[in-house]
Amino acid sequence: MRAYLYDNLDTDCRETHEQIPSVPVSAEELAASGVLYWKLKDENFEAQIDKICEDRNYKNRDQITVSKEGLGDLFDAKIKTFFAEHLHEDEEIRAILEGTGYFDIRDKDDRWVRIKVEAGDLIVLPAGIYHRFTLDTNNYLKAMRLFKEDPVWTPLNRPCDENSYRKAYLQAIATN
Ligand code: KMT
Ligand code: NI
């Protein structure tokens, strides 16, 4: 995982979009926005996932392959949905199994922070955070999706500032 401020240029979202000079964003800064991150080691990948699921009460999981092959006819629509700025009323938890991609999140000052993920990265976006996802130019990412109960994938597109999960999120990070 590596994170940095997004350059906000209007070019292909699958490019790096790193500002020049780069403005790195640390794991501590991400944590201040409520974003959690673990690097899982190859040797005991499953055991580490199981432990995090137990500690954080994630009961269910499935897998998604974000690629033309993996999503078939749904590819274009899914990619578009993923990159529309949105929030969820639950955590978005992803363990990257193969490939690479970008999660963009809005920081406390409403700036886009781009988080580059690769195999072994486990990322938790809190309920209520505005975010989006895109593949990079490799066009392939396989991820395990973890969830607490039944999957609630409904993305609520911005603006939804009156949403109670949005308000609770802003309150939770206000003291950071
Ligand atoms: C979402 O809700 O933004 C996603 O599920 C992104 C794709 S999973 C790597
Ligand atoms: Ni999402």
Side-chain angles (χ1 to χ4, degrees):
M1 185 280 284
R2 208 168 68 76
Y4 51 82
L5 289 189
Y6 191 78
D7 66 9
N8 293 317
L9 294 181
D10 211 11
T11 51
D12 186 344
C13 59
R14 298 170 313 138
E15 290 170 9
T16 54
H17 286 277
E18 188 160 358
Q19 290 186 13
I20 305 169
S22 177
V23 184
V25 175
S26 68
E28 290 72 28
E29 287 172 279
L30 288 177
S33 297
V35 175
L36 305 179
Y37 168 78
W38 288 268
K39 183 79 194 178
L40 305 178
K41 296 193 187 71
D42 272 359
E43 307 87 76
N44 51 352
F45 192 83
E46 281 294 328
Q48 291 168 91
I49 295 223
D50 290 346
K51 170 92 171 72
I52 290 167
C53 287
E54 202 182 302
D55 290 350
R56 298 184 62 83
N57 215 14
Y58 304 150
K59 295 192 195 73
N60 296 305
R61 57 179 86 171
D62 71 2
Q63 284 185 21
I64 181 170
T65 302
V66 188
S67 70
K68 269 209 166 101
E69 235 194 337
L71 295 174
D73 290 346
L74 296 174
F75 181 75
D76 289 340
K78 283 280 182 201
I79 287 293
K80 217 171 146 192
T81 311
F82 289 158
F83 200 64
E85 182 172 2
H86 64 272
L87 60 75
H88 307 280
E89 295 185 340
D90 208 341
E91 292 178 346
E92 180 166 319
I93 312 143
R94 303 286 184 267
I96 313 306
L97 303 175
E98 293 171 8
T100 43
Y102 299 116
F103 286 94
D104 295 338
I105 62 115
R106 290 283 191 181
D107 74 2
K108 288 162 63 119
D109 303 315
D110 212 29
R111 297 175 303 185
W112 279 121
V113 173
R114 172 150 280 196
I115 305 169
K116 182 174 178 66
V117 293
E118 60 184 5
D121 289 338
L122 193 159
I123 188 168
V124 178
L125 307 184
I129 193 172
Y130 283 130
H131 68 279
R132 63 189 181 189
F133 170 82
T134 178
L135 290 171
D136 61 23
T137 50
N138 292 319
N139 291 312
Y140 181 83
L141 179 134
K142 186 173 173 185
M144 184 182 286
R145 306 189 286 197
L146 305 167
F147 34 94
K148 292 191 167 165
E149 303 292 342
D150 296 328
V152 190
W153 304 130
T154 324
L156 302 174
N157 283 352
R158 189 170 186 177
C160 45
D161 297 334
E162 295 310 311
N163 179 282
S164 62
Y165 291 85
R166 176 67 189 164
K167 288 184 175 169
Y169 166 72
L170 288 177
Q171 270 211 316
I173 63 159
T175 50
N176 292 337

XYZ file of all heavy atoms in Angstrom, residues 64 66 81-84 86 88 92 94 96 103 117 125 131-134 141-143 145 153 155, ligand 1:
225
model
N -14.241 -11.318 -5.718
C -14.600 -10.643 -6.966
C -13.340 -10.487 -7.814
O -12.275 -10.176 -7.282
C -15.266 -9.266 -6.701
C -15.663 -8.596 -8.031
C -14.357 -8.352 -5.893
C -16.528 -7.352 -7.876
N -12.129 -8.192 -10.648
C -12.443 -7.004 -11.424
C -11.547 -7.000 -12.657
O -10.370 -6.652 -12.595
C -12.230 -5.714 -10.596
C -12.740 -4.505 -11.365
C -12.922 -5.813 -9.241
N -19.712 2.348 -11.937
C -20.299 2.451 -10.599
C -19.213 2.577 -9.539
O -19.330 3.381 -8.614
C -21.139 1.188 -10.280
O -21.998 0.950 -11.379
C -21.937 1.350 -9.017
N -18.177 1.767 -9.674
C -17.096 1.782 -8.685
C -16.417 3.146 -8.612
O -15.969 3.568 -7.546
C -16.025 0.731 -9.031
C -16.451 -0.693 -8.829
C -15.791 -1.728 -9.501
C -17.479 -1.035 -7.964
C -16.156 -3.054 -9.312
C -17.863 -2.354 -7.772
C -17.202 -3.372 -8.451
N -16.330 3.836 -9.771
C -15.574 5.093 -9.786
C -16.448 6.314 -9.524
O -15.949 7.434 -9.424
C -14.795 5.257 -11.097
C -13.661 6.250 -10.972
C -12.591 5.997 -10.120
C -13.672 7.447 -11.673
C -11.551 6.915 -9.972
C -12.629 8.372 -11.540
C -11.568 8.093 -10.693
N -17.748 6.116 -9.396
C -18.605 7.234 -9.005
C -18.428 7.446 -7.497
O -18.476 6.483 -6.726
C -20.054 6.921 -9.332
N -18.956 7.689 -3.843
C -20.093 7.147 -3.101
C -19.700 6.821 -1.664
O -18.527 6.880 -1.297
C -20.626 5.878 -3.797
C -19.645 4.734 -3.837
N -18.724 4.567 -4.845
C -19.443 3.686 -2.994
C -18.002 3.482 -4.636
N -18.418 2.922 -3.501
N -21.016 3.935 1.725
C -21.852 2.801 2.119
C -22.234 2.966 3.579
O -21.544 3.648 4.334
C -21.105 1.467 1.965
C -20.527 1.252 0.616
N -21.273 0.826 -0.459
C -19.268 1.408 0.146
C -20.480 0.735 -1.526
N -19.264 1.075 -1.176
N -16.406 -1.067 4.091
C -16.007 -1.747 2.851
C -14.650 -2.383 3.130
O -13.662 -1.688 3.327
C -15.919 -0.736 1.698
C -15.499 -1.380 0.383
C -15.750 -0.459 -0.827
O -16.799 0.202 -0.876
O -14.882 -0.415 -1.715
N -11.699 -5.057 2.005
C -11.167 -5.768 0.839
C -9.773 -6.291 1.146
O -8.902 -5.535 1.566
C -11.069 -4.822 -0.367
C -12.395 -4.164 -0.769
C -13.324 -5.150 -1.450
N -14.544 -4.531 -1.915
C -15.682 -4.464 -1.230
N -15.754 -4.980 -0.016
N -16.750 -3.892 -1.757
N -6.740 -7.871 -0.932
C -6.336 -8.012 -2.330
C -5.587 -9.334 -2.505
O -4.599 -9.597 -1.816
C -5.452 -6.828 -2.786
C -6.070 -5.483 -2.364
C -5.230 -6.890 -4.296
C -7.507 -5.241 -2.789
N -7.909 2.624 -4.536
C -9.043 3.162 -3.800
C -8.738 4.641 -3.561
O -7.666 4.976 -3.042
C -9.195 2.453 -2.444
C -9.750 1.065 -2.566
C -8.898 -0.031 -2.637
C -11.122 0.847 -2.611
C -9.407 -1.320 -2.754
C -11.633 -0.439 -2.731
C -10.777 -1.519 -2.806
N -3.269 -0.324 -4.047
C -3.284 -1.613 -3.355
C -2.755 -2.720 -4.260
O -2.859 -2.633 -5.491
C -4.693 -1.976 -2.838
C -5.127 -1.030 -1.723
C -5.713 -1.999 -3.965
N -12.477 0.532 4.692
C -13.006 1.887 4.588
C -14.206 1.976 5.512
O -15.108 1.142 5.434
C -13.440 2.195 3.147
C -12.404 1.964 2.039
C -12.977 2.406 0.690
C -11.103 2.700 2.335
N -15.754 7.667 -1.192
C -14.652 6.960 -1.832
C -15.046 6.510 -3.234
O -16.207 6.650 -3.647
C -14.247 5.744 -0.984
C -15.297 4.682 -0.968
N -16.398 4.749 -0.150
C -15.457 3.543 -1.690
C -17.164 3.704 -0.358
N -16.618 2.942 -1.296
N -14.074 5.925 -3.921
C -14.317 5.328 -5.240
C -13.188 4.341 -5.511
O -12.178 4.334 -4.786
C -14.372 6.423 -6.326
C -13.071 7.169 -6.474
C -13.208 8.376 -7.396
N -11.924 9.048 -7.529
C -11.750 10.218 -8.131
N -12.780 10.845 -8.668
N -10.539 10.759 -8.214
N -13.365 3.511 -6.533
C -12.355 2.503 -6.859
C -12.109 2.489 -8.362
O -13.044 2.643 -9.152
C -12.819 1.112 -6.414
C -11.936 0.012 -6.929
C -10.755 -0.311 -6.272
C -12.251 -0.671 -8.099
C -9.909 -1.301 -6.769
C -11.412 -1.667 -8.604
C -10.247 -1.974 -7.928
N -10.868 2.267 -8.739
C -10.574 2.027 -10.152
C -9.446 1.011 -10.297
O -8.584 0.893 -9.422
C -10.182 3.332 -10.900
O -9.874 3.014 -12.269
C -8.966 3.993 -10.273
N -7.697 -7.014 -11.008
C -7.597 -7.102 -9.556
C -8.559 -8.168 -9.045
O -9.720 -8.225 -9.457
C -7.924 -5.757 -8.887
C -7.872 -5.763 -7.360
C -7.109 -4.561 -6.829
C -9.275 -5.754 -6.773
N -8.035 -9.039 -8.197
C -8.884 -10.054 -7.571
C -8.881 -9.780 -6.078
O -7.800 -9.636 -5.475
C -8.314 -11.435 -7.857
C -9.177 -12.576 -7.372
C -8.585 -13.885 -7.877
C -9.286 -15.076 -7.284
N -8.629 -16.328 -7.699
N -10.065 -9.671 -5.494
C -10.151 -9.305 -4.079
C -11.130 -10.197 -3.336
O -12.091 -10.706 -3.917
C -10.589 -7.845 -3.941
N -13.917 -9.982 -0.519
C -14.764 -8.993 0.141
C -15.253 -9.601 1.439
O -15.800 -10.700 1.437
C -15.956 -8.625 -0.749
C -15.547 -8.180 -2.141
C -16.704 -7.622 -2.917
N -17.632 -8.659 -3.367
C -18.532 -8.481 -4.320
N -18.665 -7.301 -4.887
N -19.330 -9.456 -4.698
N -24.150 -3.902 -0.690
C -23.231 -3.221 -1.609
C -23.754 -1.865 -2.059
O -23.068 -1.150 -2.772
C -22.985 -4.059 -2.872
C -22.478 -5.426 -2.604
C -22.968 -6.585 -3.114
C -21.355 -5.813 -1.797
N -22.228 -7.641 -2.663
C -21.252 -7.201 -1.854
C -20.443 -5.095 -1.003
C -20.258 -7.903 -1.166
C -19.473 -5.786 -0.319
C -19.389 -7.165 -0.406
N -24.253 1.388 -3.219
C -23.486 2.622 -3.131
C -24.444 3.808 -3.118
O -25.389 3.859 -3.907
C -22.649 2.612 -4.417
C -23.317 1.657 -5.352
C -24.354 0.889 -4.597
C -16.874 -0.601 -4.102
O -17.929 -0.711 -3.465
O -16.408 0.524 -4.336
C -16.173 -1.806 -4.548
O -16.618 -2.862 -4.268
C -14.924 -1.664 -5.327
C -14.484 -2.903 -6.037
S -13.815 -4.189 -5.011
C -12.113 -4.233 -5.338
